[in-house]
Amino acid sequence: FDLSMARSARSPITMKRINNIVEYLTFEAFRYSTRGLYEEHKFLFTLLLTLKIDMQKGHVKHIEFQTLIKGGAALDLKTCPPKSSKWITDITWLNLVELNKLPQFSEIITQISRNDKGWKMWFDMEAPEESPIPDGYNSLDTFRKLLLVRSWCPDRTYAQARKYISESMGVKYAEGVILDVEKMW
């Protein structure tokens, strides 16, 4: 903490100074923690750190966090509404049914059945997270887009999660941390 006070950017405005200290301390604790992790675990740690901070700030609700983590894995396909199209996989449909429980996505099941071709075109794109989302979902923030991408295209979740981390915490968290032996001592 003392090093954070000494090394963080100074400001005559008290709240700005406090934010600078907290930001510096957060990043140093992040760098220190990731130093001991395997490369494959660093990104997951960073995502969980970002989610925890955003939950503390009230930007992400616990139910949204649960939806991101579990998706539709706890649901039974026999108890869910029938799929509107055959091209939608069972796990994707379960994810969408779970996503439908969130207020911002309460109409998604109905919208998919009404705009089947639009959703199929979006789903079939090489990078759907980069493309316009059907039925007015373009106005979603990056976390809610992450929920949508995770539900539809689990293989594209990593790319959208990187955007979420970058927007929420800053680019320096989304990039890999390079170990600098000189700064360690």
Side-chain angles (χ1 to χ4, degrees):
F1 180 76
D2 292 336
L3 284 175
S4 298
M5 288 184 62
R7 293 181 181 172
S8 62
R10 302 204 183 282
S11 176
I13 302 166
T14 307
M15 286 309 296
K16 178 97 170 113
R17 176 72 175 138
I18 291 170
N19 285 338
N20 290 345
I21 293 169
V22 169
E23 186 176 314
Y24 184 87
L25 182 60
T26 302
F27 187 68
E28 287 303 308
F30 164 76
R31 280 189 21 195
Y32 182 79
S33 298
T34 56
R35 200 171 70 189
L37 297 174
Y38 290 115
E39 200 60 41
E40 63 192 67
H41 299 138
K42 288 179 183 179
F43 184 76
L44 181 60
F45 171 76
T46 307
L47 178 59
L48 290 174
L49 175 71
T50 306
L51 286 165
K52 184 66 172 175
I53 289 172
D54 278 354
M55 286 173 67
Q56 288 295 113
K57 290 180 179 177
H59 298 161
V60 174
K61 296 178 185 135
H62 185 71
I63 186 88
E64 294 171 324
F65 173 75
Q66 291 287 339
T67 302
L68 178 69
I69 299 299
K70 293 189 306 185
L75 300 176
D76 182 16
L77 193 59
K78 294 174 187 164
T79 61
C80 293
K83 291 193 293 184
S84 57
S85 299
K86 293 184 185 216
W87 63 268
I88 301 173
T89 64
D90 290 346
I91 190 64
T92 299
W93 186 250
L94 292 173
N95 289 339
L96 291 168
V97 169
E98 186 65 27
L99 188 67
N100 193 62
K101 295 176 183 177
L102 299 176
Q104 30 318 31
F105 299 102
S106 62
E107 295 295 316
I108 194 159
I109 299 293
T110 311
Q111 290 169 327
I112 292 167
S113 62
R114 278 189 296 209
N115 187 9
D116 186 57
K117 288 182 183 176
W119 284 102
K120 174 91 170 108
M121 278 180 38
W122 179 77
F123 176 77
D124 287 338
M125 292 185 173
E126 192 169 317
E129 72 279 0
E130 301 287 338
S131 307
I133 305 169
D135 294 326
Y137 285 105
N138 284 322
S139 61
L140 294 173
D141 64 8
T142 52
F143 177 71
R144 275 58 188 200
K145 280 185 184 176
L146 174 60
L147 289 173
L148 191 63
V149 168
R150 185 254 185 260
S151 295
W152 273 105
C153 320
D155 60 315
R156 301 302 304 166
T157 302
Y158 188 87
Q160 185 64 29
R162 187 169 294 287
K163 280 186 201 172
Y164 164 63
I165 292 166
S166 183
E167 187 177 291
S168 181
M169 299 285 285
V171 177
K172 62 185 178 183
Y173 287 89
E175 297 170 349
V177 177
I178 298 170
L179 182 64
D180 188 351
V181 178
E182 289 181 17
K183 285 187 178 181
M184 280 177 44
W185 305 106

